[in-house]
Amino acid sequence: MKEFNLNTLVRKNILNLQPYISFRDHNEFNAPVMLDANECPFGEFNRYPDSSQKKLKKKLAELKGVSPSKIALGNGSDELIDLIIKIFCEPKKDAILMMNPSFAMYAFYAAVNENEVLKLDLDENFKIVKDDFLKITAEREIKIFFLCSPNNPTGNSVEDIEFFVQNFDGIVVIDEAYIEFSGNRSAIELLDKYSNLIVLQTFSKAWGTAGARVGSAYASEEIIRFINTVKAPYNVNSLSQELILNLLDDKNRLKENVDKILQERIWLEEQFKTIECIEKVFPTDANFFLIKMKNAEGVYNRMLEEEILTSKRAPAIPDCIRINVGSREENEKLINVLKGIVS
């Protein structure tokens, strides 16, 4: 990796952009009369939320072992992905790189910003071929490399993540949406070593609060400043901030959720061995399975008839369906329906 200079990667208009600053969030008051923001004076949630999410960042900083100044919060990780692309990628000029297959929203937000999407095809075991990575990054100028680990929709973790951070001249975004189910160490530990690294995490999966729409980014103070500059002023609402703060006070919530899901994952894996229409279950470090079916279209439609919603991955991944781990009641219904399908 060449000597890293963040300012050469950031779009010029973003370098000069002045952030929106909420006056009340950047000052301390004892008993203020709030007549500055045209709010209604009545109601439980009548005031705008803390734009800088100070309390939530402070708690997350304690939990993750990083400074609050190295944390940005978003309306789900999706918003953070969108902002990262907007900060670094000049429309109609710059390109991003992503694994193929991987999370579709990287390509979606790049397309919205009119950026080229380059795809790094994974091998038959859904692993990155390092020589292919080195070849494409040598041939093309790429601003951002999105690494989803564990990867969605394949379920496996990226091996030797540090290799890709070391050998990429742009920004590496490691999306750890499913990290809690994997037993892997978070790449947050690498932040002090690599200034081109951004790590994304979410409360939507293991924490069980997808409806709250809260995601987090961990990076250098310089990168976080740019994210805070371009984000909407009140992007994380008061209800969601309060909910997540309360969750973080519950020391057992995360462990209980993960333990239950991992137990069900083991149970499902055993049950899948008895299903005739299943050809292969790919190894997973996440809360879902990628499964190759003997008749994927027919199996998918049969489950849909029983109102079992799954994710059809064909034709991008031939004959495959992604099925996430549910409750025991949901999992039993799934297995009973699959057992009734004769391939």
Side-chain angles (χ1 to χ4, degrees):
M1 181 180 173
K2 302 173 187 174
E3 185 176 347
F4 183 74
N5 184 346
L6 182 65
N7 288 349
T8 64
L9 295 175
V10 177
R11 291 169 55 190
K12 289 183 173 58
N13 66 309
I14 303 297
L15 283 171
N16 300 319
L17 187 66
Q18 295 300 310
Y20 174 92
I21 296 176
S22 170
F23 179 78
R24 66 173 69 160
D25 289 345
H26 287 78
N27 291 274
E28 296 292 333
F29 303 98
N30 293 320
V33 176
M34 296 183 180
L35 306 178
D36 60 322
N38 300 335
E39 301 152 320
C40 176
F42 315 113
E44 185 180 359
F45 290 96
N46 60 318
R47 302 298 179 187
Y48 284 109
D50 174 9
S51 182
S52 54
Q53 303 106 18
K54 291 187 290 292
K55 290 181 181 178
L56 186 47
K57 286 179 183 176
K58 184 174 184 293
K59 272 203 172 169
L60 279 175
E62 294 169 358
L63 182 67
K64 304 294 182 180
V66 299
S67 166
S69 61
K70 293 185 176 183
I71 303 173
L73 296 175
N75 183 10
S77 294
D78 279 15
E79 183 191 25
L80 296 167
I81 293 166
D82 184 30
L83 294 176
I84 290 165
I85 291 173
K86 287 176 178 175
I87 290 167
F88 295 104
C89 292
E90 194 73 46
K92 300 182 180 180
K93 178 184 175 183
D94 292 324
I96 72 160
L97 178 65
M98 62 180 285
M99 300 182 294
N100 183 39
S102 193
F103 185 42
M105 297 310 291
Y106 310 138
F108 174 83
Y109 286 118
V112 169
N113 202 48
E114 296 187 276
N115 296 119
E116 185 180 3
V117 179
L118 303 175
K119 294 189 176 182
L120 186 62
D121 290 335
L122 304 179
D123 69 13
E124 66 276 7
N125 297 311
F126 302 121
K127 295 181 180 181
I128 300 174
V129 179
K130 288 182 178 178
D131 286 344
D132 291 348
F133 164 76
L134 294 173
K135 183 174 185 292
I136 194 171
T137 53
E139 293 175 347
R140 297 294 304 271
E141 188 173 326
I142 304 167
K143 278 292 189 74
I144 306 171
F145 182 25
F146 285 97
L147 277 172
C148 188
S149 183
N151 187 32
N152 175 17
T154 62
N156 59 310
S157 298
V158 175
E159 297 175 358
D160 196 8
I161 278 180
E162 197 167 354
F163 170 86
F164 301 102
V165 184
Q166 286 174 332
N167 289 281
F168 189 69
D169 291 332
I171 299 296
V172 178
V173 180
I174 300 176
D175 188 345
E176 295 184 340
Y178 304 95
I179 188 77
E180 291 91 350
F181 305 110
S182 70
N184 297 334
R185 298 170 74 91
S186 171
I188 290 174
E189 296 180 356
L190 301 175
L191 286 179
D192 289 338
K193 193 172 179 181
Y194 300 103
S195 52
N196 65 325
L197 177 62
I198 302 173
V199 181
L200 299 180
Q201 293 188 351
T202 183
F203 287 91
S204 294
K205 310 300 179 183
W207 287 94
T209 56
R213 306 305 301 129
V214 180
S216 53
Y218 302 86
S220 68
E221 292 183 7
E222 291 78 13
I223 290 176
I224 295 300
R225 275 200 295 269
F226 284 118
I227 294 176
N228 288 332
T229 293
V230 300
K231 78 173 183 66
Y234 305 106
N235 62 323
V236 181
N237 68 74
S238 298
L239 290 166
S240 292
Q241 289 191 49
E242 187 174 297
L243 173 65
I244 301 303
L245 278 166
N246 290 335
L247 273 182
L248 293 175
D249 279 335
D250 184 351
K251 305 300 182 184
N252 298 318
R253 172 67 175 267
L254 179 63
K255 185 178 185 305
E256 289 174 356
N257 283 358
V258 172
D259 286 349
K260 288 177 184 176
I261 290 169
L262 292 182
Q263 287 169 12
E264 289 301 306
R265 191 174 80 181
I266 293 169
W267 184 83
L268 274 175
E269 196 163 17
E270 287 300 310
Q271 296 299 311
F272 288 150
K273 294 175 182 177
T274 69
I275 306 297
E276 183 184 344
C277 64
I278 289 178
E279 188 172 324
K280 182 176 181 178
V281 178
F282 290 93
T284 184
D285 288 331
N287 66 333
F288 59 82
F289 292 92
L290 183 68
I291 304 174
K292 187 175 183 180
M293 301 288 185
K294 292 178 182 176
N295 175 15
E297 188 72 23
V299 172
Y300 175 81
N301 289 331
R302 180 70 187 95
M303 289 190 290
L304 201 53
E305 288 173 4
E306 296 294 331
E307 297 192 339
I308 298 175
L309 309 184
T310 61
S311 180
K312 183 167 57 175
R313 308 313 300 182
I317 312 177
D319 304 317
C320 283
I321 297 174
R322 191 193 68 202
I323 303 176
N324 72 261
V325 178
S327 66
R328 177 56 63 93
E329 181 181 3
E330 292 169 329
N331 295 336
E332 286 178 344
K333 181 176 181 180
L334 168 71
I335 294 301
N336 288 335
V337 171
L338 288 175
K339 281 183 177 179
I341 298 174
V342 178
S343 57

